[in-house]
PDB file of all heavy atoms in Angstrom:
ATOM      1  N   GLU R   6      27.289  -1.537  -0.519  1.00 90.00           N
ATOM      2  CA  GLU R   6      27.247  -2.357   0.694  1.00 90.00           C
ATOM      3  C   GLU R   6      28.287  -3.476   0.686  1.00 90.00           C
ATOM      4  O   GLU R   6      28.458  -4.178   1.689  1.00 90.00           O
ATOM      5  CB  GLU R   6      25.843  -2.969   0.866  1.00 90.00           C
ATOM      6  CG  GLU R   6      24.759  -1.933   1.125  1.00 90.00           C
ATOM      7  CD  GLU R   6      23.361  -2.528   1.182  1.00 90.00           C
ATOM      8  OE1 GLU R   6      23.041  -3.364   0.310  1.00 90.00           O
ATOM      9  OE2 GLU R   6      22.591  -2.151   2.080  1.00 90.00           O
ATOM     10  N   GLN R   7      29.004  -3.639  -0.435  1.00 91.00           N
ATOM     11  CA  GLN R   7      29.980  -4.719  -0.572  1.00 91.00           C
ATOM     12  C   GLN R   7      31.088  -4.678   0.488  1.00 91.00           C
ATOM     13  O   GLN R   7      31.419  -5.710   1.079  1.00 91.00           O
ATOM     14  CB  GLN R   7      30.599  -4.705  -1.980  1.00 91.00           C
ATOM     15  CG  GLN R   7      29.634  -4.983  -3.119  1.00 91.00           C
ATOM     16  CD  GLN R   7      29.088  -6.402  -3.144  1.00 91.00           C
ATOM     17  OE1 GLN R   7      29.596  -7.285  -2.461  1.00 91.00           O
ATOM     18  NE2 GLN R   7      28.037  -6.619  -3.915  1.00 91.00           N
ATOM     19  N   GLU R  25      35.742 -23.661  16.572  1.00 76.00           N
ATOM     20  CA  GLU R  25      36.356 -24.926  16.184  1.00 76.00           C
ATOM     21  C   GLU R  25      37.697 -25.185  16.880  1.00 76.00           C
ATOM     22  O   GLU R  25      38.032 -26.314  17.211  1.00 76.00           O
ATOM     23  CB  GLU R  25      36.558 -24.967  14.669  1.00 76.00           C
ATOM     24  CG  GLU R  25      35.254 -25.079  13.890  1.00 76.00           C
ATOM     25  CD  GLU R  25      35.449 -24.952  12.398  1.00 76.00           C
ATOM     26  OE1 GLU R  25      36.586 -24.641  11.968  1.00 76.00           O
ATOM     27  OE2 GLU R  25      34.462 -25.144  11.645  1.00 76.00           O
ATOM     28  N   GLU R  47      29.095   5.468   8.714  1.00 93.00           N
ATOM     29  CA  GLU R  47      29.706   6.373   7.725  1.00 93.00           C
ATOM     30  C   GLU R  47      29.091   6.178   6.343  1.00 93.00           C
ATOM     31  O   GLU R  47      28.794   7.145   5.639  1.00 93.00           O
ATOM     32  CB  GLU R  47      31.220   6.132   7.662  1.00 93.00           C
ATOM     33  CG  GLU R  47      31.979   6.661   8.864  1.00 93.00           C
ATOM     34  CD  GLU R  47      33.461   6.309   8.817  1.00 93.00           C
ATOM     35  OE1 GLU R  47      33.887   5.628   7.852  1.00 93.00           O
ATOM     36  OE2 GLU R  47      34.194   6.703   9.747  1.00 93.00           O
ATOM     37  N   GLY R  97      -6.650  -0.768   0.085  1.00 98.00           N
ATOM     38  CA  GLY R  97      -7.170   0.092   1.140  1.00 98.00           C
ATOM     39  C   GLY R  97      -8.200  -0.608   1.987  1.00 98.00           C
ATOM     40  O   GLY R  97      -8.755  -1.645   1.607  1.00 98.00           O
ATOM     41  N   PHE R 109      -6.767   3.124   5.809  1.00 98.00           N
ATOM     42  CA  PHE R 109      -5.445   3.011   5.188  1.00 98.00           C
ATOM     43  C   PHE R 109      -5.609   2.821   3.679  1.00 98.00           C
ATOM     44  O   PHE R 109      -6.436   2.019   3.235  1.00 98.00           O
ATOM     45  CB  PHE R 109      -4.672   1.823   5.758  1.00 98.00           C
ATOM     46  CG  PHE R 109      -4.194   2.019   7.167  1.00 98.00           C
ATOM     47  CD1 PHE R 109      -4.946   1.551   8.243  1.00 98.00           C
ATOM     48  CD2 PHE R 109      -3.003   2.675   7.428  1.00 98.00           C
ATOM     49  CE1 PHE R 109      -4.521   1.732   9.544  1.00 98.00           C
ATOM     50  CE2 PHE R 109      -2.557   2.870   8.728  1.00 98.00           C
ATOM     51  CZ  PHE R 109      -3.321   2.395   9.795  1.00 98.00           C
ATOM     52  N   GLY R 133      -8.016   2.586  -9.841  1.00 98.00           N
ATOM     53  CA  GLY R 133      -7.300   2.550  -8.562  1.00 98.00           C
ATOM     54  C   GLY R 133      -7.456   3.864  -7.814  1.00 98.00           C
ATOM     55  O   GLY R 133      -7.686   3.886  -6.600  1.00 98.00           O
ATOM     56  N   LYS R 146     -17.262  10.133   5.752  1.00 98.00           N
ATOM     57  CA  LYS R 146     -18.649   9.894   6.164  1.00 98.00           C
ATOM     58  C   LYS R 146     -18.721   9.399   7.611  1.00 98.00           C
ATOM     59  O   LYS R 146     -19.587   9.808   8.388  1.00 98.00           O
ATOM     60  CB  LYS R 146     -19.282   8.869   5.224  1.00 98.00           C
ATOM     61  CG  LYS R 146     -20.734   8.532   5.540  1.00 98.00           C
ATOM     62  CD  LYS R 146     -21.265   7.494   4.557  1.00 98.00           C
ATOM     63  CE  LYS R 146     -22.700   7.117   4.892  1.00 98.00           C
ATOM     64  NZ  LYS R 146     -23.213   6.082   3.956  1.00 98.00           N
ATOM     65  N   GLY R 159       5.002   5.431 -10.637  1.00 95.00           N
ATOM     66  CA  GLY R 159       4.152   6.334 -11.414  1.00 95.00           C
ATOM     67  C   GLY R 159       2.811   5.688 -11.713  1.00 95.00           C
ATOM     68  O   GLY R 159       2.632   4.483 -11.561  1.00 95.00           O
ATOM     69  N   PHE R 161      -0.064   4.149 -14.057  1.00 96.00           N
ATOM     70  CA  PHE R 161       0.099   3.314 -15.250  1.00 96.00           C
ATOM     71  C   PHE R 161      -0.089   4.157 -16.514  1.00 96.00           C
ATOM     72  O   PHE R 161      -1.114   4.822 -16.683  1.00 96.00           O
ATOM     73  CB  PHE R 161      -0.909   2.158 -15.224  1.00 96.00           C
ATOM     74  CG  PHE R 161      -0.726   1.196 -16.367  1.00 96.00           C
ATOM     75  CD1 PHE R 161       0.493   0.549 -16.563  1.00 96.00           C
ATOM     76  CD2 PHE R 161      -1.753   0.941 -17.259  1.00 96.00           C
ATOM     77  CE1 PHE R 161       0.672  -0.333 -17.613  1.00 96.00           C
ATOM     78  CE2 PHE R 161      -1.585   0.057 -18.321  1.00 96.00           C
ATOM     79  CZ  PHE R 161      -0.358  -0.578 -18.495  1.00 96.00           C
ATOM     80  N   VAL R 189      -5.764  13.874   7.335  1.00 98.00           N
ATOM     81  CA  VAL R 189      -5.140  13.072   6.269  1.00 98.00           C
ATOM     82  C   VAL R 189      -3.620  13.094   6.467  1.00 98.00           C
ATOM     83  O   VAL R 189      -2.999  14.160   6.439  1.00 98.00           O
ATOM     84  CB  VAL R 189      -5.485  13.611   4.862  1.00 98.00           C
ATOM     85  CG1 VAL R 189      -4.900  12.686   3.789  1.00 98.00           C
ATOM     86  CG2 VAL R 189      -6.986  13.754   4.674  1.00 98.00           C
ATOM     87  N   ILE R 230      15.398  11.375 -21.204  1.00 95.00           N
ATOM     88  CA  ILE R 230      14.880  12.568 -21.892  1.00 95.00           C
ATOM     89  C   ILE R 230      16.005  13.561 -22.178  1.00 95.00           C
ATOM     90  O   ILE R 230      16.142  14.069 -23.296  1.00 95.00           O
ATOM     91  CB  ILE R 230      13.766  13.234 -21.064  1.00 95.00           C
ATOM     92  CG1 ILE R 230      12.511  12.351 -21.047  1.00 95.00           C
ATOM     93  CG2 ILE R 230      13.414  14.619 -21.629  1.00 95.00           C
ATOM     94  CD1 ILE R 230      11.450  12.797 -20.056  1.00 95.00           C
ATOM     95  N   TRP R 232      19.494  13.108 -21.839  1.00 95.00           N
ATOM     96  CA  TRP R 232      20.724  12.605 -22.455  1.00 95.00           C
ATOM     97  C   TRP R 232      20.478  11.487 -23.473  1.00 95.00           C
ATOM     98  O   TRP R 232      21.426  10.913 -23.996  1.00 95.00           O
ATOM     99  CB  TRP R 232      21.693  12.110 -21.376  1.00 95.00           C
ATOM    100  CG  TRP R 232      22.301  13.194 -20.552  1.00 95.00           C
ATOM    101  CD1 TRP R 232      23.333  14.019 -20.913  1.00 95.00           C
ATOM    102  CD2 TRP R 232      21.948  13.588 -19.215  1.00 95.00           C
ATOM    103  NE1 TRP R 232      23.639  14.883 -19.891  1.00 95.00           N
ATOM    104  CE2 TRP R 232      22.805  14.643 -18.828  1.00 95.00           C
ATOM    105  CE3 TRP R 232      20.985  13.145 -18.293  1.00 95.00           C
ATOM    106  CZ2 TRP R 232      22.732  15.266 -17.583  1.00 95.00           C
ATOM    107  CZ3 TRP R 232      20.912  13.765 -17.058  1.00 95.00           C
ATOM    108  CH2 TRP R 232      21.769  14.799 -16.705  1.00 95.00           C
ATOM    109  N   ASN R 236      22.238   5.967 -18.914  1.00 94.00           N
ATOM    110  CA  ASN R 236      23.561   5.916 -18.285  1.00 94.00           C
ATOM    111  C   ASN R 236      23.869   7.107 -17.388  1.00 94.00           C
ATOM    112  O   ASN R 236      24.845   7.096 -16.648  1.00 94.00           O
ATOM    113  CB  ASN R 236      24.651   5.809 -19.363  1.00 94.00           C
ATOM    114  CG  ASN R 236      24.528   4.524 -20.157  1.00 94.00           C
ATOM    115  OD1 ASN R 236      24.023   3.520 -19.656  1.00 94.00           O
ATOM    116  ND2 ASN R 236      24.974   4.554 -21.405  1.00 94.00           N
ATOM    117  N   ALA R 244      20.640  16.172  -9.828  1.00 96.00           N
ATOM    118  CA  ALA R 244      19.990  17.396 -10.313  1.00 96.00           C
ATOM    119  C   ALA R 244      18.545  17.511  -9.815  1.00 96.00           C
ATOM    120  O   ALA R 244      18.062  18.619  -9.538  1.00 96.00           O
ATOM    121  CB  ALA R 244      20.016  17.418 -11.843  1.00 96.00           C
ATOM    122  N   THR R 248      15.644  13.449  -2.596  1.00 97.00           N
ATOM    123  CA  THR R 248      15.653  12.708  -1.329  1.00 97.00           C
ATOM    124  C   THR R 248      14.798  13.391  -0.263  1.00 97.00           C
ATOM    125  O   THR R 248      14.376  14.538  -0.425  1.00 97.00           O
ATOM    126  CB  THR R 248      17.090  12.567  -0.785  1.00 97.00           C
ATOM    127  OG1 THR R 248      17.589  13.875  -0.457  1.00 97.00           O
ATOM    128  CG2 THR R 248      18.004  11.910  -1.804  1.00 97.00           C
ATOM    129  N   GLY R 292      -5.821  15.883  14.592  1.00 94.00           N
ATOM    130  CA  GLY R 292      -7.204  15.638  14.997  1.00 94.00           C
ATOM    131  C   GLY R 292      -7.781  16.665  15.942  1.00 94.00           C
ATOM    132  O   GLY R 292      -9.010  16.793  16.060  1.00 94.00           O
ATOM    133  N   GLU R 305      -3.504  26.197   2.195  1.00 95.00           N
ATOM    134  CA  GLU R 305      -2.442  27.215   2.293  1.00 95.00           C
ATOM    135  C   GLU R 305      -1.056  26.580   2.181  1.00 95.00           C
ATOM    136  O   GLU R 305      -0.166  27.119   1.526  1.00 95.00           O
ATOM    137  CB  GLU R 305      -2.568  27.958   3.625  1.00 95.00           C
ATOM    138  CG  GLU R 305      -1.646  29.166   3.718  1.00 95.00           C
ATOM    139  CD  GLU R 305      -1.809  29.928   5.027  1.00 95.00           C
ATOM    140  OE1 GLU R 305      -2.778  29.681   5.768  1.00 95.00           O
ATOM    141  OE2 GLU R 305      -0.942  30.779   5.311  1.00 95.00           O
TER     142      GLU R 305
END
Side-chain angles (χ1 to χ4, degrees):
E6 294 175 316
Q7 296 292 347
E25 290 173 353
E47 287 176 359
F109 288 95
K146 180 181 178 181
F161 185 58
V189 184
I230 290 169
W232 289 282
N236 297 333
T248 65
E305 189 178 348

